[in-house]
Amino acid sequence: MFFSRQVERAVREHRMFTHGDKILAALSGGKDSLALFRELAHQGYDVTGLHVDLGIKDFSVKARMIVEKFCQDLGAGLIVISLAESGLAIPRVKAAVKRPICSVCGKIKRYWFNKTALDKGYTVLATGHNLDDEAGRLLANALRWDTAYLSDQGPTLPAEAGFAAKVKPLYRLSEFETASYCFLRGVEYHMDACPYAKGAGFTFRKQLMQSLEQKSPGSKIGFYEGFLHKARPAFLALEQKNHEKLLPCLECGYPTSAGTCGVCRLKRTLAGQAKFNEYS
Ligand code: SF4
């Protein structure tokens, strides 16, 4: 099947993992993450799910139910992290920060993905980013010429001190293809949009890339693969020179350049606000 062959090709060409690896796969409940998990399990990989419950009212309740049922039906292991329990429910964070919520939400999720993979001894962390996600993100990074992000963008990131190895085995497949896979395989997924997604920049950039694809089929994969082979090595070399030294966070041990990492600082801010509200 086309879908399986594209995943096999991505895994093989980028040496993402082998059947000896312990894979932790992030499961949001959406089509991409569930398709990825099902396909890896189907190909015989040792894969466990990780769901981060964002604490966004009905949206997160439904996402968690879908993921739990999916793993139960498949007989697969699942780890659930509740942001509300760690004081970082996304609606609370949104009320407290001035930055766009999606960038903070992404940062918190990446923190828990990495921490869980390292704490629990997984050898690699897999996410369901597809070609539309990757091409849209590349466009955003190139529009800003953000050399740090451009050097980091790719279907694999090797493990290094404090960071688990990360892979994106769906990077050759479009959103339409993952949705079709779920439909054909009877995978029920979360179709509701996050209430905070409206107006997010990544949706607009994905649409831009899609219009280009419609006019000129093959543009998305050509743009992304071209970047990987012809441009990324140059950005990697550039960033190696400017490589900032990271040290363990004083509170949680996560690598950071700032003494205490962003997530611990955020937790502190929210805890401080809760105390203030209590006494005011
Ligand atoms: S749309 Fe934004 S806030 Fe909602 S889950 Fe995605 S990143 Fe988080």
Side-chain angles (χ1 to χ4, degrees):
M1 188 194 181
F2 175 78
F3 190 94
S4 305
R5 284 201 308 275
Q6 293 303 316
V7 172
E8 280 165 8
R9 181 171 167 184
V11 171
R12 186 179 62 246
E13 281 185 5
H14 293 274
R15 297 187 185 157
M16 292 184 175
F17 41 72
T18 66
H19 282 89
D21 275 297
K22 271 183 75 183
I23 305 169
L24 185 66
L27 291 177
S28 65
K31 61 186 182 325
D32 304 306
S33 60
L34 298 188
L36 170 66
F37 193 100
R38 191 198 176 281
E39 184 55 31
L40 294 183
H42 184 69
Q43 291 188 17
Y45 289 105
D46 175 359
V47 58
T48 300
L50 167 63
H51 177 67
V52 177
D53 181 335
L54 304 174
I56 306 174
K57 278 199 192 152
D58 304 349
F59 174 77
S60 295
V61 172
K62 194 167 169 190
R64 184 166 171 166
M65 271 170 51
I66 288 171
V67 169
E68 285 175 344
K69 180 173 183 307
F70 171 84
C71 287
Q72 202 177 20
D73 291 350
L74 221 58
L78 173 67
I79 299 167
V80 177
I81 303 285
S82 161
L83 291 191
E85 279 170 22
S86 61
L88 287 172
I90 295 301
R92 257 190 91 193
V93 174
K94 185 174 188 302
V97 298
K98 292 196 174 64
R99 278 171 294 152
I101 187 58
C102 290
S103 70
V104 189
C105 176
K107 187 176 187 161
I108 296 172
K109 283 189 281 191
R110 286 193 296 278
Y111 173 91
W112 283 108
F113 293 166
N114 190 59
K115 183 170 168 45
T116 311
L118 291 179
D119 289 355
K120 299 200 181 282
Y122 289 90
T123 48
V124 60
L125 171 76
T127 55
H129 293 93
N130 59 42
L131 178 59
D132 295 84
D133 299 323
E134 289 303 281
R137 190 174 151 222
L138 176 58
L139 178 65
N141 291 337
L143 286 172
R144 294 194 310 272
W145 292 119
D146 190 321
T147 55
Y149 282 165
L150 284 164
S151 74
D152 253 7
Q153 183 165 3
T156 56
L157 274 179
E160 52 179 310
F163 292 107
K166 298 179 185 73
V167 295
K168 298 172 183 171
L170 299 189
Y171 88 91
R172 300 187 53 82
L173 290 150
S174 69
E175 280 190 2
F176 176 74
E177 286 158 346
T178 57
S180 306
Y181 176 91
C182 288
F183 174 72
L184 292 171
R185 298 286 181 220
V187 176
E188 276 176 49
Y189 60 88
H190 197 355
M191 291 194 200
D192 304 354
C194 167
Y196 304 136
K198 227 187 264 165
F202 54 76
T203 313
F204 172 65
R205 286 186 292 272
K206 274 194 208 175
Q207 284 162 354
L208 263 180
M209 289 304 300
Q210 191 50 31
S211 341
L212 202 60
E213 179 78 16
Q214 272 158 5
K215 290 220 161 62
S216 173
S219 296
K220 280 186 292 192
I221 192 75
F223 179 51
Y224 189 64
E225 288 278 21
F227 162 76
L228 291 181
H229 294 115
K230 296 177 185 164
R232 190 179 177 214
F235 289 112
L236 263 174
L238 182 73
E239 280 306 306
Q240 261 155 14
K241 272 193 231 151
N242 311 331
H243 203 54
E244 198 178 11
K245 193 163 167 37
L246 299 177
L247 292 169
C249 164
L250 298 172
E251 294 182 25
C252 72
Y254 190 80
T256 178
S257 56
T260 301
C261 77
V263 171
C264 287
R265 288 201 305 273
L266 189 58
K267 268 191 196 171
R268 236 195 261 158
T269 308
L270 290 177
Q273 282 184 355
K275 261 196 196 139
F276 177 79
N277 292 342
E278 217 174 282
Y279 293 117
S280 59

